[in-house]
Amino acid sequence: MENTKFKHLIKEHSIYFLLIVFIIIGMFTSEHFLTVNNFINLLQRSSVIGLISLGMTFVIIGGGIDLSVGSIVAFSGIVVATLMTNGMNLVVSLIFTIFLTLVLGLIVGIITVKFNLPSFIVSLAMMVSARGLALLISNGSPVFGLAGPFAFIGGGYIGKIPFSVILWFIMSIISAIALKYTAFGRKLYALGGNEEAAFYSGIKTSYYKAISFGISGLLSGIAGIVLASWLTVAQPSAGEGMELDAIASVVLGGTSLSGGSGTIGGTIIGVLILSIITNIFNLFGISSYYQYIFKGLIIAGALILNSMVVVREKQ
Amino acid sequence: MLKKYSLILLVFLLILSFSSIVAVADSPFVGFSQVTIQSPFYVTLMESAERTAKEMGVKFVYLDAGNNIGKQNNDVIDLITRGLDVLLLNPVDPEGVAPAMKRAEDNNVPVVTVDRPVEGKYKEAVFVGRKNYEMGVEAGKKAVELLGGEGNASGKIIEIQGAAGGAVMRDRRDGFHSIVDKEEGIEIIQGPYCEYVRSQAISAFQDLIQTHPDVDMVYAHNDDMALGAVQVLEQHGKINDVYVIGIDGLMEAVKAINDGRMDATVLNDPAYLGQLAVEVALGVLEGEEYPEFVDAGTGLIIKDNAGEFYDPAKDFAEYIPED
């Protein structure tokens, strides 16, 4: 028991160590890197993908994968923008939108468990349908005119801290507590680790698995609201490719793609590392084609590192 | 141990990547946030801007937003953090660049938008671009002429559309319709959105030609899609019965016009656009006055003049204004 704990510590620390390496590299590459402003920029830009990655952590720990998150970001932005530009009250629009995205997530979860399908395929179906819904509602055009108090969610500041970062922080704490200190969290780990064993030990595996997709939908919905608010426009094409960034962040953060392990803290670091890579490249002025290649290499490198720790742990 | 090695490898890779960059001395710093560099039009535009900047001896950095408005805002904020003097911006979305525009304004960085304008109440310096509506009008006029002339034109046109919801698509569509819709004898079938991509246009047109074998003309919102239609028409042995009009002046389309496989395209030379954008950006820095919209101009390529425009070394037909 002690031994696994110790190895867990190493595993967690390897990703923190990597973050520190990147911060040091950042310091040496640009005098602009280690400034308060740049740091705030980094957190701000991480908040949308950060929120999505929190939900993705639940799903992956439970042994699933959710490809629909990017489309749900678009769907959520379009729905909230359409409601508000048609005169609905801000709070009601927000609640209604988040509720809808929770339902979309639950639909993925319920179909997955009910028909015993791979979540990869079910969420792929939702990825396509939710994008279609966003295009249908918006008639293919961006919805703009989102100024006023709504713009505060993604673009406002409390003191020097962007509100979206505070929102991400609060959601992270709630998520961490839910995973670590509740029966729900423990059961999710158990089912991700070995679904059959969890089932026979009396856990309602399908119930918890479905819930994990609901959480992912809900957090992606919040992320979509933050994004639309920050940009002051909702686009039916928003969020494209975010599912891959979220999955990369979660796995970078030490969550095993086969389920059963992982932490919210790791995911947050994973998100930050991905943001920092682009930030350093931009500040240093590396041209875009190289950026893609190096970003890919760095993700691959970090994943190899991660998997080696996991393999050792299993031995 | 392995962990250590892979970390060393990572750091080594990074250092390797950074060492390949050469520092540029203190000169005006022009940054270009480009919507995407995964299409020949934008690659040519960007390369031309880079070449012009190098010729004028200024520091030039471009960043690719990858069609992602969030990334574009972040890229611009990073450029401003680095101490940018003037920003060239081709916005992914005219509204969605609000955070970037605000940051530029807060830091007194002038913005020159290229190819697409931004919307909003910013002190946007200048928009260097072309009137896509005008291009649609040019295509429409040629279409009417080919189908029998004003007042007498008749026929069935299939329109292959660009990206859903995009301003370029809207303008190229509306400009075309503003001319063609006046003709009572012309019927327009609006095809699906094909995202300016040839492969999508081919599969869409394969379906369309089944339901509309009596088509007389194809109007595509860009040449890549028009060439897709040409390909399908050739497979069906109908290339000589159906007119094809595109937009952009893609060299492949110029060649097709010269060979008699296509009928017209509307000039949209990205190289001249990129050059003009950098010239205007540096002019703005030096305090020169420009109108809000600097029109890079356009023209028509047809069988008669395709030979003059044909230059296999280029990706797009060259447009140089007359003055």
Side-chain angles (χ1 to χ4, degrees):
Chain A
M1 198 60 212
E2 270 304 304
N3 208 4
T4 28
K5 245 186 186 169
F6 178 67
K7 278 175 180 166
H8 239 92
L9 264 175
I10 300 180
K11 190 180 160 192
E12 270 176 47
H13 280 130
S14 73
I15 188 77
Y16 289 100
F17 184 58
L18 198 64
L19 178 68
I20 293 167
V21 169
F22 276 109
I23 291 175
I24 293 170
I25 293 169
M27 278 165 58
F28 281 111
T29 46
S30 170
E31 78 248 56
H32 305 296
F33 180 75
L34 215 61
T35 56
V36 176
N37 268 341
N38 193 50
F39 190 66
I40 291 170
N41 289 344
L42 257 175
L43 288 175
Q44 150 108 58
R45 77 183 48 173
S46 306
S47 53
V48 171
I49 198 75
L51 284 163
I52 299 170
S53 302
L54 291 177
M56 190 68 82
T57 311
F58 281 90
V59 171
I60 294 180
I61 285 175
I65 194 110
D66 189 352
L67 297 183
S68 69
V69 292
S71 296
I72 290 183
V73 163
F75 171 81
S76 150
I78 292 289
V79 168
V80 76
T82 309
L83 292 177
M84 285 181 24
T85 47
N86 283 300
M88 194 187 265
N89 169 281
L90 169 67
V91 178
V92 181
S93 315
L94 291 177
I95 293 172
F96 186 69
T97 305
I98 293 170
F99 174 74
L100 277 186
T101 59
L102 168 70
V103 170
L104 288 191
L106 284 174
I107 290 173
V108 173
I110 290 167
I111 293 177
T112 301
V113 295
K114 200 101 192 167
F115 299 97
N116 201 16
L117 292 166
S119 56
F120 179 80
I121 297 300
V122 181
S123 63
L124 181 71
M126 181 56 81
M127 170 183 174
V128 180
S129 321
R131 181 75 61 192
L133 280 173
L135 283 162
L136 178 73
I137 298 168
S138 64
N139 197 17
S141 302
V143 183
F144 44 84
L146 299 181
F150 177 71
F152 182 80
I153 302 169
Y157 288 78
I158 292 181
K160 271 205 115 174
I161 312 294
F163 180 70
S164 59
V165 174
I166 296 173
L167 195 63
W168 179 29
F169 183 71
I170 294 171
M171 287 302 172
S172 300
I173 289 177
I174 296 173
S175 304
I177 291 172
L179 273 177
K180 207 160 188 175
Y181 299 108
T182 64
F184 164 71
R186 283 191 294 274
K187 285 171 180 167
L188 197 63
Y189 279 110
L191 108 90
N194 187 335
E195 194 162 348
E196 215 169 326
F199 180 77
Y200 285 117
S201 63
I203 297 174
K204 288 184 208 150
T205 49
S206 50
Y207 175 75
Y208 290 104
K209 195 161 192 171
I211 296 270
S212 74
F213 283 93
I215 294 172
S216 175
L218 180 139
L219 283 162
S220 305
I222 296 176
I225 289 170
V226 170
L227 184 67
S229 161
W230 181 49
L231 301 174
T232 66
V233 60
Q235 294 176 304
S237 63
E240 260 170 37
M242 278 189 182
E243 55 284 338
L244 298 181
D245 275 349
I247 294 167
S249 302
V250 171
V251 180
L252 262 177
T255 300
S256 159
L257 259 183
S258 47
S261 74
T263 60
I264 292 294
T267 295
I268 293 172
I269 303 298
V271 170
L272 288 177
I273 286 178
L274 276 189
S275 295
I276 285 181
I277 293 172
T278 318
N279 183 239
I280 293 175
F281 284 164
N282 281 351
L283 290 181
F284 199 75
I286 293 183
S287 75
S288 297
Y289 290 136
Y290 291 108
Q291 285 202 16
Y292 292 129
I293 298 169
F294 286 123
K295 195 169 170 184
L297 284 176
I298 287 162
I299 292 174
L303 293 182
I304 292 165
L305 162 82
N306 193 320
S307 77
M308 281 187 307
V309 181
V310 175
V311 168
R312 273 196 306 169
E313 194 173 272
K314 282 192 174 158
Q315 282 164 351
Chain B
M1 271 324 271
L2 279 169
K3 184 178 77 171
K4 220 181 230 166
Y5 286 134
S6 53
L7 264 179
I8 292 169
L9 183 74
L10 270 179
V11 174
F12 176 72
L13 271 173
L14 273 171
I15 292 170
L16 198 74
S17 63
F18 293 142
S19 60
S20 64
I21 309 297
V22 189
V24 180
D26 264 0
S27 58
F29 175 13
V30 183
F32 189 174
S33 175
Q34 176 67 288
V35 59
T36 174
I37 45 174
Q38 289 174 10
S39 107
F41 183 85
Y42 291 125
V43 172
T44 305
L45 170 57
M46 192 272 298
E47 283 174 350
S48 153
E50 192 172 27
R51 198 181 327 111
T52 310
K54 287 218 167 105
E55 279 164 13
M56 298 173 101
V58 296
K59 181 177 167 188
F60 180 88
V61 170
Y62 75 89
L63 292 171
D64 169 20
N67 266 322
N68 177 339
I69 184 67
K71 182 174 189 302
Q72 182 159 49
N73 279 294
N74 295 332
D75 284 351
V76 170
I77 288 168
D78 284 343
L79 283 172
I80 293 170
T81 306
R82 284 178 67 193
L84 182 76
D85 291 311
V86 57
L87 173 69
L88 285 173
L89 176 68
N90 185 0
V92 174
D93 180 289
E95 310 264 345
V97 284
M101 293 300 289
K102 190 171 179 309
R103 183 63 66 97
E105 204 169 63
D106 291 347
N107 288 275
N108 289 317
V109 174
V111 180
V112 174
T113 54
V114 191
D115 187 51
R116 314 170 179 186
V118 294
E119 273 165 40
K121 39 190 186 312
Y122 312 103
K123 289 179 291 178
E124 179 201 355
V126 185
F127 165 49
V128 182
R130 290 195 171 89
K131 292 176 184 148
N132 280 292
Y133 188 87
E134 213 50 51
M135 295 180 199
V137 168
E138 288 284 336
K141 282 181 184 160
K142 189 67 200 169
V144 169
E145 186 194 315
L146 288 170
L147 292 175
E150 220 179 309
N152 301 314
S154 70
K156 193 181 217 179
I157 303 178
I158 291 181
E159 183 175 7
I160 302 177
Q161 308 198 72
V168 172
M169 178 282 295
R170 191 183 57 220
D171 290 349
R172 289 180 182 183
R173 177 193 66 200
D174 293 350
F176 185 77
H177 281 257
S178 74
I179 301 296
V180 176
D181 287 355
K182 283 187 232 157
E183 301 295 325
E184 281 180 15
I186 290 181
E187 180 196 358
I188 299 188
I189 313 293
Q190 279 194 303
Y193 298 109
C194 295
E195 310 292 326
Y196 304 110
V197 174
R198 188 179 313 197
S199 57
Q200 293 193 30
I202 289 177
S203 31
F205 195 64
Q206 277 168 337
D207 296 341
L208 285 164
I209 204 165
Q210 309 289 332
T211 35
H212 304 283
D214 55 339
V215 57
D216 297 296
M217 176 182 281
V218 178
Y219 166 53
H221 289 170
N222 80 346
D223 284 338
D224 207 37
M225 298 193 296
L227 288 160
V230 167
Q231 189 178 325
V232 176
L233 286 168
E234 280 174 338
Q235 281 162 4
H236 283 78
K238 286 189 173 220
I239 190 68
N240 294 322
D241 312 331
V242 182
Y243 297 111
V244 180
I245 296 180
I247 286 187
D248 276 350
L250 195 68
M251 198 50 75
E252 199 185 339
V254 177
K255 185 170 187 303
I257 293 170
N258 207 21
D259 298 347
R261 298 157 64 228
M262 221 175 115
D263 300 277
T265 183
V266 184
L267 276 161
N268 188 21
D269 178 16
Y272 176 63
L273 191 62
Q275 178 198 329
L276 186 65
V278 171
E279 286 168 2
V280 169
L282 292 172
V284 166
L285 261 190
E286 284 162 14
E288 267 181 59
E289 293 283 326
Y290 290 95
E292 269 176 40
F293 172 57
V294 177
D295 189 356
T298 184
L300 195 69
I301 301 179
I302 48 173
K303 177 105 180 122
D304 295 347
N305 64 3
E308 300 160 33
F309 285 99
Y310 185 59
D311 177 359
K314 293 199 165 69
D315 285 334
F316 287 86
E318 194 172 50
Y319 170 79
I320 298 164
E322 280 168 14
D323 56 47

